[in-house]
Amino acid sequence: MLERNDDDGLWIRRFADAQDAPCRVVCFPHAGGSASYFLPVAKALAPDAEVLAIQYPGRQDRRHEAGVTSLVALAGTITSVLLPSLDRPTVLFGHSMGASVAFEVARRLERAGTVPLALFVSGRVAPTRLRRESVHLRDDAGLLAEVKKLSGTDARVFDDDELVRLVLPALRSDYTAVETYRFEPGPRLEAPVHAHIGDTDPRVTPDEAADWCEQTNGRFTLHTYSGGHFYLDAHRAQVVRAISEVLVPA
């Protein structure tokens, strides 16, 4: 298990001045991703909402730390870090691996008596729709080939051997965490769940995303956009608008 760390400066990045905003959005990155992926989202939502972007260990300024290979342990630690910051209505948004992390964080928050305003799950199958995958067991070339296929990383990164060496450990630990994660049945969330996917995403079909409805007692919606696993890059404005619409009642 990860040790609890109450210093949110280690785990949370704030990219826009919105500390007095009436609500917050917590963003969870994809496998191999970092908090900075959500910088445009933070700027788009400020000053109406403060974005707290989660920085997993093993990347960027945390590159000297070991990555986390247990998604459940990761969610538990993030929950303990977040709880003191949830003094106002909060939305959780996770993309790909981040969607699973956000879901497990939402479950723990609700058990602690804090119900998120909503959970947004992007580019990820419902937790009951298990895909048995073993990308994390491939050699370095095989792992990088999978990342290239999803087109979520600047292609220039793969031409720089030093950068590749820097990102590989985090990639492998993240893929290990997400591919070994197994859903444990439990109470449904009270928070509404909103699923967002790309229509050509090889990682999730509309049917697999639709089963997220089984995880909430609240409202469920499914939004489909043109594009693949990183549809979000081209449709960020639409997704931000969807989040903003949830925040308005807050």
Side-chain angles (χ1 to χ4, degrees):
M1 290 289 291
L2 294 174
E3 292 183 3
R4 174 174 173 163
N5 192 312
D6 292 320
D7 180 10
D8 78 354
L10 186 67
W11 289 88
I12 297 173
R13 303 291 175 271
R14 295 169 172 86
F15 298 114
D17 185 8
Q19 60 182 356
D20 295 325
C23 49
R24 290 194 171 107
V25 179
V26 183
C27 294
F28 301 78
H30 53 279
S34 60
S36 59
Y37 182 71
F38 295 107
L39 186 153
V41 175
K43 290 185 174 181
L45 287 171
D48 299 320
E50 182 183 35
V51 169
L52 311 183
I54 300 299
Q55 184 79 310
Y56 307 142
R59 68 220 65 212
Q60 292 185 337
D61 55 333
R62 301 189 70 182
R63 64 186 178 278
H64 298 301
E65 299 176 50
V68 178
T69 56
S70 167
L71 191 144
V72 170
L74 179 62
T77 299
I78 293 172
T79 301
S80 70
V81 172
L82 280 177
L83 274 169
S85 300
L86 302 187
D87 57 349
R88 62 199 73 175
T90 300
V91 165
L92 306 183
F93 180 97
H95 179 66
S96 193
M97 167 186 166
S100 295
V101 179
F103 168 64
E104 288 293 338
V105 168
R107 299 176 96 185
R108 285 158 177 75
L109 290 177
E110 293 203 358
R111 286 204 295 266
T114 299
V115 178
L117 194 59
L119 169 66
F120 283 78
V121 288
S122 169
R124 185 69 181 149
V125 300
T128 53
R129 298 291 291 263
L130 176 64
R131 284 189 173 197
R132 296 194 178 276
E133 297 170 313
S134 55
V135 175
H136 69 285
L137 297 177
R138 298 179 187 177
D139 61 15
D140 290 349
L143 179 58
L144 290 172
E146 177 67 17
V147 176
K148 289 179 184 179
K149 184 172 69 175
L150 296 178
S151 304
T153 304
D154 188 331
R156 291 172 294 183
V157 170
F158 302 110
D159 297 327
D160 187 319
D161 289 342
E162 184 176 354
L163 277 177
V164 168
R165 286 196 299 273
L166 285 174
V167 302
L168 267 172
L171 271 174
R172 190 171 299 282
S173 61
D174 287 358
Y175 268 87
T176 300
V178 75
E179 291 183 343
T180 59
Y181 166 66
R182 296 294 181 266
F183 169 73
E184 291 290 337
R188 292 187 177 205
L189 297 175
E190 295 304 318
V193 174
H194 305 287
H196 292 249
I197 63 170
D199 60 4
T200 59
D201 188 346
R203 307 293 292 182
V204 53
T205 66
D207 283 347
E208 289 173 321
D211 278 359
W212 277 104
C213 71
E214 299 174 359
Q215 302 307 318
T216 179
N217 288 323
R219 184 182 178 213
F220 172 77
T221 62
L222 173 60
H223 303 264
T224 303
Y225 304 84
S226 60
H229 192 59
F230 286 92
Y231 76 90
L232 185 58
D233 295 341
H235 298 283
R236 187 176 290 111
Q238 292 167 266
V239 175
V240 166
R241 191 178 308 119
I243 296 171
S244 297
E245 289 172 356
V246 169
L247 294 173
V248 168

